[in-house]
Amino acid sequence: MLDACVLYPTVMREVLLGVAKTGAFEPQWSARILEEWARAARKIGPTGEAQARSEIALIRADWPKAEVTWPQGLQDRLSLPDENDTHVLAAAIAGSADAIVTMNVKDFPRHILAEEGVARLGPDELLRKCWEADPDGVAQVCEAVRQEAERLSGAAWEMRGLLKKARLPKLAKAVSL
């Protein structure tokens, strides 16, 4: 289950979904998670939300089985430090996800998730594990993301710097070896 905080920012999302396309894992999310991404994108300016909604439409088309729903009763019985995050755990349970991939460590305590049979992984941790299983596949995804970042920004990007800026330092170190 991919939390909104790993779907937005762009580089992190592109690496995660690119690696998922290699078959390394099956991504999941909910409509509410995607909505949180769209609302967060407002911060980049007046076109941010519209751009996010276009990208959301594309990933929904690319991953038609990724969106999870759950009965309200499931969410009502759950408790997390931030009640606004219970929907993510409910989606993970309903989707039979092995883990919630999030940067939000404090609001997803491992012991609470474990009671529901769900682990918590940071995106860097997940991607590093994927790299260990398929270094060439993950490196190819990272290179494609780097090239697209250069195309869009008009600036040169060194792989390690791009991935570290995207808060993926373990992956940056691995693919830069």
Side-chain angles (χ1 to χ4, degrees):
M1 183 61 55
L2 302 180
D3 196 3
C5 63
V6 302
L7 290 170
Y8 180 76
T10 303
V11 171
M12 186 181 291
R13 176 184 66 253
E14 292 299 317
V15 174
L16 280 165
L17 294 179
V19 170
K21 284 183 181 177
T22 71
F25 67 94
E26 287 290 325
Q28 293 182 329
W29 46 73
S30 69
R32 183 166 171 187
I33 289 169
L34 297 178
E35 183 62 26
E36 285 182 4
W37 163 17
R39 286 193 319 260
R42 292 177 188 164
K43 295 174 189 172
I44 62 172
T47 62
E49 184 176 355
Q51 181 179 345
R53 293 197 184 280
S54 296
E55 292 168 351
I56 288 167
L58 292 173
I59 69 164
R60 278 180 161 151
D62 285 347
W63 303 97
K65 296 179 183 176
E67 200 160 315
V68 174
T69 60
W70 62 92
Q72 185 60 41
L74 174 59
Q75 186 174 339
D76 291 345
R77 77 166 179 79
L78 299 172
S79 177
L80 288 171
D82 182 348
E83 68 181 41
N84 291 321
D85 286 323
T86 58
H87 70 96
V88 179
L89 179 54
I93 294 166
S96 299
D98 296 322
I100 294 172
V101 181
T102 186
M103 300 290 290
N104 189 356
V105 174
K106 68 178 173 43
D107 290 332
F108 292 99
R110 290 187 196 273
H111 69 281
I112 293 174
L113 299 183
E115 291 173 6
E116 301 295 341
V118 179
R120 182 192 73 222
L121 291 172
D124 199 27
E125 182 181 5
L126 171 63
L127 290 167
R128 178 60 194 248
K129 288 179 180 183
C130 293
W131 178 84
E132 289 169 1
D134 180 14
D136 291 338
V138 173
Q140 288 174 10
V141 168
C142 291
E143 178 58 22
V145 171
R146 187 195 66 74
Q147 288 178 10
E148 182 66 359
E150 284 187 351
R151 186 186 73 77
L152 291 172
S153 70
W157 278 99
E158 181 258 329
M159 181 70 74
R160 193 171 195 152
L162 178 67
L163 294 177
K164 284 177 86 172
K165 185 175 185 340
R167 299 173 65 186
L168 301 170
K170 292 177 186 171
L171 180 63
K173 185 176 180 181
V175 299
S176 298
L177 294 176

